[in-house]
Amino acid sequence: MSLVYSGVLSHAPGITGRAHLVENIDKREEFYAALEQQRQDIAAAGTDALIVIAAEHFANFFMNNMPAFCIGIGDRYEGPIEDPEWLAIEKQSIPGAPDIGLRIAREVMQTVDTAYAQEWKFDHGISVPLHFLTPDYDLPIIPVNINCQGPPLSPLHRCWAFGEALRRACDSVPEKIALVGTGGISHWPATPDSGKINEPWDRDFLDRLMRNDKEALLAYTDEETYRNAGQGGFEIRTFIAAAAAAAGLGDLQFYTAELPIFAVGCTVARFDIV
Amino acid sequence: MSLYHLQKFLFELNRGELAQEKYRDDLPGLLHEYDLTDEEQAALNAGDIGLLYVLGVNGQILMHYAAFLGIEWFDYLNMMREGIKKHGAVRDGVYAMTGGGSSFTDEEKNR
């Protein structure tokens, strides 16, 4: 039928793995409630399959052969690769949507040279979102990746084009497709600076994102992003692709910089599909 | 290009249960399959998170390795800080320490 939902959410491993360490319990629960609302919104849209645009962290792709973009067309996926106790998510076998994924990949390829993969191991970048959005693991998943980790990274304007291509592809299939972009805004994960958040930078980015202002979103250089938002800020690519796919204005349902133990400004938002 | 091989070792270890079994059973044999410097081999033999961080291992790869070793979160952060004190600044990659070794969470400060 078409794209029926597009949104964004954070995926940091601390969101599940360090939940027990949080001192600001009220804020944590507010965040989890926003994620539960997102789950309900995706379900209420009658979603047949969920595309997760991720910024994977070396669970599949490495500098021996790094795709700028990749779409999963496997039957099933495994994840998380991380120690289950560390991430507080048990290892799962997750259903894919190979037939829909193949049709989507074919359509995307008309304008963007995407790789595809029939094997895909999920890391926290997908496993944390799925933990909240499909806790019973009964929703078919189409994993999608944008290279946000191994420079040279996918240029922002190509991420926008990729988002638009995904939209065209979703609109070309009879099934109802939901899509989420998952990443961080400013953050310095997996370094001693973990927990550092540039809230003014985040809020400025989110303002551009909610206005779905293409020119303003594509104006960032990687040098600026690295300086102001850390290497984790490179993951804005997934949010930008989700905005491009939706084309409508955003609704920021939740943002806080008050859970630094999660090492990211925690975010939940959705876009109008226009 | 040695950092490439060091990271490739950790990438394959992090995602592969067979590699993890071999790591536990025969770490020297597993390391022999990779083109590593003496310093890198020593760091891996010792599970030296601080030195691996300074050598420039991507933080996402290093974080997953630390989890595999069962290292608790705040200990992991401190191991990287201690690595900087002992070996100097991060030599490569984009996961440099920018905060002067400070903690950014109340949870860590209040421990």
Side-chain angles (χ1 to χ4, degrees):
Chain A
M1 182 175 137
S2 63
L3 184 68
V4 295
Y5 178 93
S6 180
V8 297
L9 75 162
S10 308
H11 69 221
I15 293 169
T16 50
R18 296 194 288 282
H20 62 292
L21 298 176
V22 172
E23 293 181 358
N24 193 341
I25 304 290
D26 290 347
K27 190 58 73 177
R28 181 190 71 187
E29 293 308 304
E30 201 182 326
F31 177 38
Y32 287 172
L35 291 165
E36 168 59 15
Q37 183 61 53
Q38 188 167 50
R39 183 193 71 76
Q40 292 180 19
D41 290 346
I42 290 168
T47 299
D48 294 310
L50 174 65
I51 293 174
V52 182
I53 306 176
E56 80 125 37
H57 316 86
F58 302 107
N60 302 277
F61 310 120
F62 190 68
M63 280 70 81
N64 59 346
N65 191 3
M66 179 67 77
F69 304 104
C70 191
I71 297 175
I73 57 171
D75 290 328
R76 298 197 74 83
Y77 302 103
E78 304 169 20
I81 65 159
E82 293 94 335
D83 177 74
E85 194 174 329
W86 180 82
L87 192 60
I89 298 176
E90 290 299 318
K91 290 192 184 293
Q92 307 288 339
S93 173
I94 298 126
D99 180 54
I100 303 173
L102 189 61
R103 281 180 275 134
I104 285 177
R106 280 192 174 128
E107 178 58 33
V108 168
M109 283 177 183
Q110 298 302 316
T111 54
V112 176
D113 299 325
T114 182
Y116 66 86
Q118 288 188 297
E119 273 186 61
W120 199 305
K121 295 189 180 191
F122 294 171
D123 65 29
H124 64 267
I126 293 182
S127 291
V128 169
L130 296 189
H131 174 78
F132 291 98
L133 300 181
T134 173
D136 295 329
Y137 299 98
D138 53 0
L139 180 62
I141 302 300
I142 301 170
V144 166
N145 196 64
I146 298 176
N147 175 22
C148 304
Q149 278 293 337
L153 307 176
S154 311
L156 296 188
H157 70 96
R158 298 302 294 157
C159 298
W160 183 275
F162 185 57
E164 289 184 327
L166 282 170
R167 169 62 182 275
R168 281 194 298 274
C170 290
D171 287 351
S172 73
V173 300
E175 293 87 354
K176 294 180 180 178
I177 310 297
L179 174 156
V180 289
T182 175
I185 322 178
S186 72
H187 64 313
W188 287 255
T191 74
D193 310 322
S194 176
K196 183 177 165 186
I197 294 166
N198 185 344
E199 183 174 354
W201 194 92
D202 281 2
R203 291 199 179 274
D204 177 66
F205 172 79
L206 289 169
D207 178 62
R208 300 181 199 203
L209 191 73
M210 295 301 102
R211 288 187 283 112
N212 211 336
D213 184 336
K214 177 183 177 183
E215 190 179 348
L217 285 168
L218 302 189
Y220 296 100
T221 67
D222 281 350
E223 291 73 19
E224 288 169 340
T225 301
Y226 184 69
R227 186 169 62 248
N228 298 318
Q231 79 284 352
F234 294 150
E235 293 179 349
I236 58 173
R237 285 163 170 76
T238 66
F239 284 20
I240 287 173
L249 295 176
D251 172 19
L252 182 61
Q253 295 160 290
F254 184 82
Y255 172 81
T256 186
E258 295 174 30
L259 291 167
I261 187 66
F262 289 168
V264 72
C266 298
T267 309
V268 180
R270 61 177 298 167
F271 300 97
D272 289 335
I273 310 288
V274 298
Chain B
M1 287 296 284
S2 187
L3 177 60
Y4 172 83
H5 297 286
L6 174 62
Q7 294 190 110
K8 190 164 189 199
F9 167 81
L10 291 169
F11 161 72
E12 292 181 342
L13 177 70
N14 286 342
R15 71 188 300 272
E17 290 181 12
L18 283 175
Q20 291 170 10
E21 277 178 33
K22 191 158 185 185
Y23 180 97
R24 293 187 178 102
D25 295 343
D26 180 18
L27 177 56
L30 184 59
L31 292 177
H32 193 65
E33 297 174 16
Y34 293 83
D35 185 11
L36 302 168
T37 65
D38 291 346
E39 187 181 40
E40 290 163 346
Q41 290 209 31
L44 291 170
N45 269 312
D48 188 338
I49 296 293
L51 179 54
L52 292 168
Y53 177 59
V54 168
L55 290 175
V57 172
N58 183 289
Q60 299 292 339
I61 293 173
L62 189 62
M63 178 174 71
H64 290 172
Y65 173 59
F68 166 70
L69 295 181
I71 295 170
E72 192 268 338
W73 179 248
F74 294 127
D75 292 339
Y76 163 66
L77 299 182
N78 272 326
M79 285 174 179
M80 289 188 285
R81 293 181 186 121
E82 291 302 316
I84 297 273
K85 280 184 200 166
K86 188 171 176 186
H87 303 290
V90 172
R91 299 176 198 170
D92 206 343
V94 294
Y95 278 72
M97 186 172 80
T98 63
S102 302
S103 170
F104 289 89
T105 69
D106 289 340
E107 285 84 351
E108 185 175 20
K109 290 172 191 162
N110 295 339
R111 287 176 87 206

